[in-house]
Amino acid sequence: MHKAGFVNIIGNPNVGKSTLMNAFIGEKLSIITSKAQTTRHRILGIVNGDDFQVVLSDTPGIIKPAYELQESMMDFVKSAFEDADVLLYMVEIGERELKDEAFFKKIQSSSIPVLLLLNKIDKSDQGQLEEQVQLWAEKVSNAEIYPISALEGFQVKEVFDRIIELLPESPPFYPKDQLTDKPERFFVNETIREKILLHYKKEVPYAVEIDTEEFFEDEDIIRMRSVIMVERDTQKGIIIGHKGSALKRVGIEARKDLEKFFGKQVHLELYVKVNKNWRTNQKQLKRFGYNQK
Ligand SMILES: Nc1nc2c(ncn2[C@@H]2O[C@H](COP(=O)(O)OP(=O)(O)OP(=O)(O)O)[C@@H](O)[C@H]2O)c(=O)[nH]1
Ligand SMILES: [Mg+2]
């Protein structure tokens, strides 16, 4: 017998969805930062066994969209409701509600199995933990509750074993050696964006999109050229920094990560370009893989 299905991780921003996805996969597929809205796409991560295939989806944190990019991010979340065989609804310790009522109702009335993952319990004590388990058991009575720490790997295996039990009987959906649905360039873009989220303040990272124009694999080196797109001239200056120092740091750190990811030497060329208001421009969003409609 072979089991396979879609297991989709949803929840508020910053609760640890991507950290869990990477823990299941055992590789850094999704970028992780302490800032909200780190993940902008639906990213598949596939875990294969002899008699199972778990197709995980990491999704953007649920927010009330304020502009077109965020609307498209929420469309990815909606799609994750539609094809799930198992829903992983993640909350973090101390959290008391899912901000979007409509999404929350969908979870409460879901006819498919819901595992409610109470994450970051490494930051809590026994009393708080018990109180929170009780709270969520009342709020989402259709869910099975698992207190976990995605960061420390606590209870991650137990959740995975339960997922396997819940999966329907099915042939695999993807070739058994496939790890994700995204192309190599996507991971280049994301690695660079992670460094930008880490090093720049306020609105700047949210106005940034990356486009890898060249990805050329030679025998012993991969040559990449990526554009960092911003919305305004002032942001361009901030990204580059004094004598180019800020941009240089992004380049060095991204290259190191990419060499690890691809297991090969990397040459990464970065430049910065203004693309006015790309976040609200449907055509531009489509070009960057957001607007799927
Ligand atoms: N203490 C603790 N921190 C965690 C845990 N899991 C994740 N984090 C931290 O929480 C922050 C957010 O983690 P992400 O995995 O990026 O969260 P996310 O839900 O994917 O966030 P968005 O993509 O922005 O919606 C990071 O700083 C993580 O290191 C955990 O189990 N314990
Ligand atoms: Mg994420």
Side-chain angles (χ1 to χ4, degrees):
M1 184 179 82
H2 190 277
K3 290 177 143 196
F6 287 82
V7 178
N8 303 341
I9 314 171
I10 53 171
N12 279 334
N14 214 39
V15 294
K17 299 179 296 300
S18 299
T19 305
L20 179 69
M21 158 98 149
N22 291 348
F24 281 143
I25 304 286
E27 281 218 38
K28 193 177 162 189
L29 261 194
S30 285
I31 58 167
I32 296 167
T33 79
S34 60
K35 290 192 176 134
Q37 294 174 57
T38 294
T39 305
R40 287 179 179 171
H41 293 264
R42 177 175 177 178
I43 304 165
L44 300 196
I46 307 166
V47 186
N48 292 298
D50 287 339
D51 52 3
F52 67 82
Q53 178 172 73
V54 183
V55 185
L56 295 153
S57 284
D58 185 16
T59 65
I62 293 173
I63 46 168
K64 288 231 173 349
Y67 46 88
E68 282 80 349
L69 168 65
Q70 294 183 335
E71 273 170 25
S72 163
M73 285 160 59
M74 291 310 102
D75 286 341
F76 289 133
V77 181
K78 277 182 209 148
S79 80
F81 269 101
E82 281 156 19
D83 60 21
D85 295 294
V86 178
L87 267 181
L88 303 185
Y89 171 40
M90 183 178 273
V91 298
E92 68 177 300
I93 206 89
E95 195 183 324
R96 312 197 78 82
E97 59 181 351
L98 183 70
K99 279 153 196 124
D100 188 302
E101 247 332 281
F103 275 126
F104 193 60
K105 289 221 166 79
K106 267 190 174 174
I107 293 163
Q108 285 172 313
S109 60
S110 166
S111 57
I112 55 167
V114 179
L115 305 187
L116 191 146
L117 310 180
L118 178 54
N119 191 32
K120 308 195 187 180
I121 64 160
D122 52 285
K123 292 204 299 193
S124 75
D125 57 39
Q126 195 60 26
Q128 188 187 22
L129 183 58
E130 279 167 20
E131 188 268 334
Q132 290 256 297
V133 168
Q134 177 124 26
L135 173 91
W136 288 107
E138 283 163 22
K139 270 184 191 275
V140 194
S141 56
N142 52 319
E144 293 172 28
I145 299 182
Y146 285 85
I148 69 166
S149 170
L151 189 67
E152 296 184 352
F154 178 74
Q155 289 260 87
V156 170
K157 187 180 178 304
E158 285 73 6
V159 173
F160 192 77
D161 290 345
R162 183 64 185 133
I163 289 170
I164 300 285
E165 280 175 15
L166 291 168
L167 279 189
E169 204 176 328
S170 160
F173 292 91
Y174 295 90
K176 280 284 183 106
D177 58 355
Q178 192 171 333
L179 180 70
T180 180
D181 63 326
K182 294 277 182 275
E184 286 156 328
R185 283 170 203 239
F186 176 80
F187 296 100
V188 180
N189 297 347
E190 288 291 88
T191 304
I192 297 164
R193 206 164 57 77
E194 180 184 77
K195 303 311 168 201
I196 288 171
L197 277 155
L198 289 174
H199 294 311
Y200 299 89
K201 291 193 196 89
K202 293 182 190 153
E203 189 60 13
V204 173
Y206 298 99
V208 164
E209 179 64 28
I210 317 292
D211 183 20
T212 295
E213 295 179 325
E214 195 180 288
F215 185 99
F216 180 74
E217 191 156 0
D218 244 341
E219 215 164 287
D220 48 6
I221 193 168
I222 313 176
R223 294 178 199 283
M224 312 168 185
R225 191 180 63 240
S226 308
V227 192
I228 300 173
M229 251 155 319
V230 291
E231 293 200 305
R232 292 196 298 271
D233 282 321
T234 47
Q235 293 163 341
K236 182 173 171 177
I238 292 169
I239 293 286
I240 294 170
H242 182 62
K243 291 186 176 161
S245 58
L247 183 62
K248 193 170 170 193
R249 176 159 81 162
V250 169
I252 290 171
E253 290 183 11
R255 178 174 51 76
K256 280 190 187 144
D257 281 13
L258 288 166
E259 288 185 336
K260 227 184 269 162
F261 187 77
F262 290 111
K264 216 168 188 179
Q265 203 186 331
V266 163
H267 180 266
L268 174 64
E269 191 187 323
L270 286 179
Y271 66 102
V272 189
K273 214 155 114 180
V274 177
N275 181 344
K276 280 219 165 78
N277 304 323
W278 67 266
R279 278 187 293 178
T280 52
N281 181 317
Q282 298 291 355
K283 240 192 225 157
Q284 294 296 321
L285 288 171
K286 204 165 214 141
R287 181 179 151 212
F288 302 132
Y290 292 106
N291 210 328
Q292 307 286 337
K293 278 191 271 185

